[in-house]
């Protein structure tokens, strides 16, 4: 069956038909998916009732996996899933929802702010692939903002201002925004800032996009309050409704997005309900900027 993609978002995002993740992809299907990602930046695959091994096999057929190590407040002894998965569920290792005031849950609430996955790593993520196993009775949508369209809509003066700026990204900064300061010295060291360009150019299409995230807490050479106010203005611009696709999850959905081209955020859901969504992630090509510039 040929791969068919039709647009579902206001200015981007496509729904894919003709892929069954329970069997290996053909080279043509791999090429079609990458081409779809280059064009739509977010792809939705419905009714993919797969297990962890099938999710890993599908992910590996598209590229090299980024391991999820040290990016959350879960200690290695508390991992529910192998490190080939980012566990973005609200569940502990016994598959029980975290207590409302559990610091692992409160830290993860940072994912409700607009962000790009792993922008706090020197080499940030390429694609994220999120598969829904259990979804809550209400809420829990994932929203995506098209950072190419947002860039295109900037006036020329702002484009020029952004062109060569370099930002400092850290999970410390995103958590400051929600009033979460409860980090140990070890966690602060682990989450120390990395540098990322503010404007990225897609290697295949040549389109430019804003590379924003709530993890961005400074601009190299700028006073911090001025930088944060400017980044907030850019984020408000980039997340206007005409740039946003909101995904309402069904069990079996796989949604794949290109972190180089979109931001996303999770929406709230009842704290006592289970939300088991499992993310595999493809590694990026390399740092977006030389890290020795870091202060
Ligand atoms: Fe995320």
């Amino acid at each position: 069956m040929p791969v068919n993609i039709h647009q579902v978002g206001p200015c981007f995002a496509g729904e894919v038909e003709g892929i069954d993740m329970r069997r290996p992809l053909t080279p043509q299907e791999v090429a079609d998916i990458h081409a779809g990602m280059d064009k739509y930046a977010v792809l939705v695959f419905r009714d993919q009732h797969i297990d962890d091994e099938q999710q890993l096999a599908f992910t590996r057929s598209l590229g090299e996996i980024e391991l999820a190590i040290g990016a959350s407040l879960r200690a290695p002894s508390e991992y529910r899933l192998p490190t080939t998965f980012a566990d973005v569920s609200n569940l502990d290792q016994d598959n029980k929802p975290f207590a409302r005031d559990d610091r692992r849950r409160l830290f993860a609430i940072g994912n409700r702010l607009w962000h790009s996955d792993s922008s706090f790593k020197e080499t940030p993520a390429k694609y994220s692939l999120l598969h829904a196993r259990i979804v809550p009775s209400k809420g829990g949508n994932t929203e995506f903002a098209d950072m190419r369209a947002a860039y295109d809509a900037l006036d020329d003066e702002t484009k020029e201002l952004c062109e060569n700026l370099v930002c400092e990204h850290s999970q410390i900064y995103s958590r400051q925004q929600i009033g979460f300061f409860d980090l140990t010295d070890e966690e602060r060291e682990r989450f120390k800032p990395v540098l990322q360009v503010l404007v990225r150019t897609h290697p295949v299409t040549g389109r430019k996009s804003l590379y924003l995230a709530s993890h961005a807490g400074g601009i190299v050479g700028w006073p911090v309050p001025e930088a944060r106010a400017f980044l907030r203005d850019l984020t408000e611009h980039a997340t206007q409704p005409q740039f946003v696709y909101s995904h309402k999850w069904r069990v079996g959905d796989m949604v794949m997005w290109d972190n180089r081209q979109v931001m996303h955020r999770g929406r709230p859901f009842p704290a006592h309900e289970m939300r088991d969504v499992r993310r595999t992630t493809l590694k990026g090509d390399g740092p977006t900027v030389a890290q020795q510039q870091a202060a």
Side-chain angles (χ1 to χ4, degrees):
M1 184 172 166
V3 176
N4 175 40
I5 306 177
H6 64 274
Q7 190 170 315
V8 290
C11 65
F12 72 118
E15 186 168 325
V16 182
E17 283 163 21
I19 294 290
D20 179 351
M21 293 179 196
R22 293 171 302 180
R23 57 168 183 74
L25 296 179
T26 65
Q28 185 60 53
E29 287 171 337
V30 170
D32 288 348
I33 290 170
H34 283 302
M37 288 295 284
D38 291 344
K39 180 174 179 182
Y40 294 99
V42 175
L43 292 179
V44 176
F45 305 76
R46 298 279 193 185
D47 301 316
Q48 302 292 332
H49 297 285
I50 55 171
D51 60 20
D52 288 352
E53 285 310 311
Q54 289 163 328
Q55 179 167 348
L56 285 171
F58 175 75
T59 306
R60 288 195 174 108
S61 66
L62 298 172
E64 190 184 343
I65 286 184
E66 176 193 283
L67 297 179
I69 298 173
S72 77
L73 298 194
R74 290 175 197 257
S77 60
E78 298 169 341
Y79 288 168
R80 193 179 64 106
L81 302 174
T83 55
T84 41
F85 284 86
D87 190 351
V88 286
S89 76
N90 63 334
L91 305 174
D92 65 18
Q93 64 270 46
D94 299 320
N95 286 313
K96 298 274 187 306
F98 289 131
R100 193 168 181 192
D101 60 355
D102 189 301
R103 68 192 287 273
R104 295 167 296 184
R105 171 178 182 269
L106 300 179
F107 184 82
I109 283 180
N111 292 321
R112 296 185 191 172
L113 304 179
W114 289 105
H115 66 281
S116 177
D117 287 334
S118 301
S119 78
F120 49 83
K121 294 183 180 177
E122 289 184 10
T123 294
K126 184 182 180 187
Y127 301 166
S128 292
L129 299 89
L130 193 59
H131 186 246
R133 309 287 174 92
I134 300 172
V135 300
S137 63
K138 60 182 177 183
N141 280 18
T142 303
E143 297 181 346
F144 299 92
D146 188 343
M147 306 304 284
R148 306 163 298 178
Y151 176 84
D152 290 346
L154 293 173
D155 60 55
D156 288 344
E157 195 181 337
T158 310
K159 281 181 186 165
E160 204 176 315
L161 179 59
C162 292
E163 185 63 35
N164 294 310
L165 294 182
V166 172
C167 298
E168 297 175 14
H169 289 236
S170 166
Q171 294 197 96
I172 296 170
Y173 300 144
S174 47
R175 273 58 190 183
Q176 284 174 350
Q177 293 188 40
I178 53 169
F180 185 93
F181 305 101
D182 175 24
L183 294 169
T184 65
D185 290 344
E186 181 275 322
E187 287 160 350
R188 285 181 191 282
E189 176 62 22
R190 183 148 52 88
F191 298 148
K192 65 179 189 293
V194 302
L195 299 179
Q196 305 292 356
V197 294
L198 180 56
V199 177
R200 298 188 76 167
T201 303
H202 191 279
V204 176
T205 67
R207 284 191 76 178
K208 289 187 173 180
S209 56
L210 282 172
Y211 191 48
L212 289 168
S214 56
H215 307 309
I219 298 173
V220 174
W222 284 40
V224 169
E226 190 178 4
R228 292 198 182 183
F230 180 63
L231 292 169
R232 182 172 290 212
D233 278 350
L234 285 178
T235 301
E236 278 184 18
H237 159 80
T239 56
Q240 295 175 83
Q242 67 267 31
F243 303 135
V244 173
Y245 164 68
S246 181
H247 185 74
K248 183 173 170 47
W249 290 93
R250 299 195 309 226
V251 171
D253 284 354
M254 172 73 88
V255 179
M256 175 162 53
W257 62 90
D258 185 344
N259 289 294
R260 303 168 304 179
Q261 306 194 79
V262 300
M263 275 203 294
H264 63 283
R265 65 175 179 177
R267 303 300 290 146
F269 59 94
H272 61 281
E273 291 193 23
M274 295 174 75
R275 182 175 191 255
D276 190 354
V277 287
R278 301 184 183 200
R279 194 187 91 205
T280 40
T281 313
L282 291 188
K283 244 183 173 165
D285 293 334
T288 66
V289 66
Q291 296 296 314
Q292 61 268 29
Q293 291 171 24

